[in-house]
Amino acid sequence: MSDALIPLESVNAVEVFTGGGLDDLLARIRTEAVSVVPNIKTVAGRKEIASIAYKVSRSKTAIDDAGKALVADLKKQTGDIDSARKKARDTLDALRDEVRKPLTDWEAEQERIERERVEAEERAKAEAEAARLAEIARKEEEIRAREEAVRAAEEAERQRVAAEQAERERVEREARLQAEAAENAKREAAGAVERAEREARDATERAAREAAEAEQRAKDAAALAEREKAEAVAAAERRAQEEADRAERQRQAQADAQRKADEARAADVEHRRSINRTAVAALIAVGLDEKAAATVITAIAQGKVPAVAIRY
């Protein structure tokens, strides 16, 4: 005989505690409890009242135990759900990293390419600057040489002027001597006087001509040195500009080659990714799930499956 007023083993605890069936169950227990009206005046009647009250208590205990069991089961389910949630997060995080790895690798490659491009530009600029400074130093050396030539020409001019002055003084001195000799030799023949005067005139004219010629030579040398200096500076500037133009063309050619290589590499990566996606879709179509299909294609692409390859 059951200790409860109703067969609680047939009661669904989930429906009782979560489906709104508790009130109906309590009503049924109450109906059973009050449906019998024992005779309080007899021993049997009093025993029956005590038995009914005991059964009410046992029903309470059974219902409460069922509720506890349901709560324990729900707590266990919560733990299982949390474990499943963690597994889903970890698995999908790993899948996300696996799927994104080609893009991550590509981004790292782009950073390396950009870094190498910047370094190449900096090297080219440094080389161009070194060439420019070397050319400037060479031009300065040429200018110093031309200036030294001008100074030498000026020194030659100074010496020429000094020589002319000495010559004039000599001529004047000789003229004075000749005048004195002429004064002292007035009595000499007129022919001798005229000869001496003619020789003096000839010497003066010769000295003047020589002085004029030396002066013209000095001016010609100074003009030539100035022209050569200007031509040297112009030639140095042209060479510097040509070197800078050559360096710029070389840098541009390197940049164009690098850009084309980058574009070809990006196109190849996209081409391979497209073929891999098509292969994954084909495997899914023949019955593999998406994760397994992606794993298979990745393994083949990485060369981990012998005798099997993907034609790109």
Side-chain angles (χ1 to χ4, degrees):
M1 183 177 179
S2 174
D3 289 337
L5 291 174
I6 61 174
L8 294 176
E9 62 274 5
S10 64
V11 175
N12 188 323
V14 176
E15 292 181 357
V16 169
F17 291 104
T18 64
L22 180 59
D23 291 339
D24 181 63
L25 178 61
L26 294 177
R28 289 169 57 194
I29 293 173
R30 179 176 181 78
T31 299
E32 290 294 328
V34 300
S35 63
V36 179
V37 184
N39 188 355
I40 192 64
K41 295 181 180 180
T42 65
V43 174
R46 291 193 294 274
K47 287 183 178 180
E48 188 172 4
I49 292 172
S51 175
I52 292 172
Y54 175 74
K55 288 181 178 181
V56 171
S57 295
R58 291 299 299 161
S59 297
K60 177 201 71 173
T61 301
I63 292 172
D64 188 58
D65 289 344
K68 288 181 180 179
L70 178 61
V71 169
D73 184 60
L74 290 175
K75 288 182 178 180
K76 181 177 181 301
Q77 291 179 18
T78 300
D80 292 341
I81 291 171
D82 288 340
S83 297
R85 287 172 58 210
K86 184 178 184 305
K87 179 179 180 182
R89 288 195 305 270
D90 295 343
T91 301
L92 293 179
D93 283 345
L95 177 59
R96 177 202 61 206
D97 295 341
E98 178 183 348
V99 170
R100 199 185 189 283
K101 186 177 185 303
L103 176 57
T104 302
D105 293 343
W106 180 87
E107 291 173 344
E109 179 67 10
Q110 296 307 303
E111 291 178 358
R112 182 190 65 77
I113 290 170
E114 178 62 16
R115 185 171 58 255
E116 291 180 354
R117 183 188 67 77
V118 172
E119 291 174 353
E121 287 185 354
E122 291 178 350
R123 285 195 300 273
K125 289 179 180 178
E127 291 172 358
E129 179 64 14
R132 186 182 70 82
L133 294 177
E135 184 62 20
I136 289 174
R138 190 187 63 77
K139 289 193 296 184
E140 290 177 347
E141 181 61 27
E142 290 182 353
I143 291 171
R144 283 195 295 271
R146 298 302 179 187
E147 290 176 346
E148 182 62 29
V150 171
R151 284 194 295 272
E154 292 174 348
E155 177 62 21
E157 176 67 10
R158 186 189 63 77
Q159 292 178 1
R160 182 192 65 78
V161 171
E164 290 179 353
Q165 179 64 28
E167 180 66 15
R168 284 193 296 272
E169 292 176 355
R170 182 187 66 79
V171 170
E172 291 174 356
R173 185 171 58 254
E174 289 180 354
R176 287 194 303 272
L177 292 175
Q178 289 174 357
E180 291 173 357
E183 184 66 21
N184 294 329
K186 287 180 179 180
R187 293 180 300 273
E188 294 182 358
V193 173
E194 292 175 355
R195 186 173 58 252
E197 291 176 348
R198 186 172 56 253
E199 289 176 353
R201 286 196 301 272
D202 292 341
T204 301
E205 291 173 357
R206 184 173 59 254
R209 285 196 304 272
E210 290 176 354
E213 290 172 356
E215 181 178 2
Q216 185 61 43
R217 286 195 299 272
K219 290 180 179 179
D220 293 342
L224 177 61
E226 186 63 28
R227 284 197 304 274
E228 289 178 349
K229 175 182 176 181
E231 290 172 356
V233 171
E237 290 175 348
R238 285 196 303 273
R239 287 193 294 272
Q241 184 60 44
E242 290 171 355
E243 181 62 23
D245 293 343
R246 185 195 64 76
E248 176 60 21
R249 289 194 299 273
Q250 181 178 3
R251 185 198 66 75
Q252 186 62 43
Q254 292 175 348
D256 291 343
Q258 185 63 57
R259 176 180 57 76
K260 291 179 180 178
D262 294 343
E263 291 173 353
R265 187 179 298 106
D268 182 65
V269 169
E270 182 57 31
H271 173 68
R272 289 174 176 268
R273 185 179 293 115
S274 175
I275 291 178
N276 289 344
R277 286 199 297 266
T278 302
V280 169
L283 292 178
I284 293 173
V286 299
L288 271 69
D289 60 58
E290 183 178 355
K291 179 179 180 182
T295 301
V296 169
I297 294 304
T298 301
I300 293 174
Q302 293 176 351
K304 297 181 179 179
V305 181
V308 178
I310 299 174
R311 291 197 302 273
Y312 293 104

